[in-house]
Amino acid sequence: MALLTSLSVSAKSFAVVPSADSSMHTEGTGAVTVVFESGLGDTGKVWHSVQSSVANRCAKTVSYTRHGYGMGNSADGPRDAEHIVAELRLRLTESGASPPYVLVGHSLGGLYMQYFARRYPMDVRGLVLVDSMHWDQLNRVKAATPGVYRMTNVLTFLMGGTMRREFVGIPSTAAEIEVLPQASNVPTIVLSSTQPTTGETPAFRTLAARLQTEIAATYVARRHDFVLDSGHYIQRDQPQAVIIAARELAGCSTGQ
């Protein structure tokens, strides 16, 4: 379920893959590691439709489930970008997934990957933002479409747990991103949805498009594509758009 464009929520569980870290799924080999970061409430399984195609004769790929989702996967402390990215970097190191990284982030996961790219630009070869959240999105939505904001706040409150803690951590994440230098030297592709999600108003869609354009301008995007016939989950609706973008930044052929 998507509560806001670029703020996704899902209650689906992750299919456990046997490994040293059972919440990480790795495919492929190569000099570049493509890392997939999911949105609010989503697990690594959300990348099922794209990961194998990105890995194919191209790169090592890693999808994972953040702490707090799934069986035996607890999350302690703040759930903001600083802590989540630190956890991710440790897990990547422990799994042998070394830089350079192409970071692929969806929704709130896109916000975490923006922090990663700004904080550790020397480790980042490229950034793919899949209907990513904007760092000031909650404030802008609250001002322009307060009804949508209230609905989102209530739903995340009802769901509680890690999902709620990540939502509450968004202002801290935004502040952490804004104090860092812009990652204008990191090749970036911004993919934006074109189809409304249930409950979205025309005013919200207009705002969402404006926020996506601001993201692309901030990162001096190699390109910004409004992906036709795609809702918030572009990786499901139009997976080829995500596959091509990730392979391009990894330095691989975009043909399948």
Side-chain angles (χ1 to χ4, degrees):
M1 156 180 24
L3 300 183
L4 292 179
T5 298
S6 302
L7 180 56
S8 67
V9 174
S10 172
K12 296 182 179 179
S13 61
F14 182 70
V16 175
V17 178
S19 67
D21 183 341
S22 62
S23 64
M24 298 191 78
H25 177 68
T26 302
E27 292 187 39
T29 60
V32 177
T33 302
V34 179
V35 181
F36 296 97
E37 181 72 67
S38 307
L40 180 66
D42 284 325
T43 66
K45 195 174 181 179
V46 77
W47 300 105
H48 175 76
S49 59
V50 303
Q51 185 171 355
S52 294
S53 294
V54 173
N56 183 30
R57 292 180 293 177
C58 178
K60 184 171 188 175
T61 63
V62 177
S63 60
Y64 84 110
T65 297
R66 289 193 297 277
H67 291 313
Y69 298 117
M71 295 185 299
N73 195 356
S74 62
D76 298 320
R79 305 311 295 160
D80 55 18
E82 179 182 359
H83 291 84
I84 286 170
V85 169
E87 290 170 0
L88 170 59
R89 285 174 59 82
L90 177 61
R91 294 167 79 178
L92 290 171
T93 298
E94 291 176 342
S95 70
S98 58
Y101 299 120
V102 170
L103 307 175
V104 184
H106 173 238
S107 195
L108 178 57
L111 206 55
Y112 297 148
M113 293 300 91
Q114 291 179 54
Y115 174 86
F116 194 138
R118 290 190 183 207
R119 179 70 178 81
Y120 305 102
M122 297 303 293
D123 287 348
V124 181
R125 178 185 175 113
L127 177 65
V128 181
L129 298 175
V130 183
D131 222 33
S132 172
M133 192 174 185
H134 186 286
W135 50 93
D136 195 38
Q137 185 153 325
L138 287 188
N139 290 331
R140 302 275 285 275
V141 169
K142 187 175 182 179
T145 56
V148 175
Y149 176 84
R150 285 193 297 270
M151 178 184 70
T152 303
N153 194 33
V154 168
L155 286 174
T156 56
F157 181 81
L158 293 174
M159 291 177 181
T162 298
M163 190 181 303
R164 179 65 184 175
R165 290 168 64 199
E166 288 184 352
F167 181 80
V168 170
I170 290 173
S172 294
T173 289
E176 290 160 1
I177 289 171
E178 290 190 290
V179 299
L180 291 171
Q182 294 184 4
S184 56
N185 60 329
V186 174
T188 302
I189 296 174
V190 176
L191 304 176
S192 305
S193 65
T194 55
Q195 298 298 316
T197 299
T198 302
E200 290 181 358
T201 64
F204 177 79
R205 285 306 302 173
T206 299
L207 174 62
R210 184 179 306 125
L211 293 174
Q212 290 291 301
T213 300
E214 289 182 12
I215 292 171
T218 297
Y219 289 90
V220 193
R222 176 176 292 187
R223 69 171 185 275
H224 177 199
D225 296 339
F226 282 93
V227 183
L228 296 178
D229 300 320
S230 68
H232 183 46
Y233 286 85
I234 299 172
Q235 65 269 49
R236 291 174 178 165
D237 297 338
Q238 298 294 338
Q240 197 65 20
V242 179
I243 293 166
I244 289 172
R247 290 180 65 92
E248 177 183 329
L249 294 186
C252 306
S253 168
T254 57
Q256 296 297 303

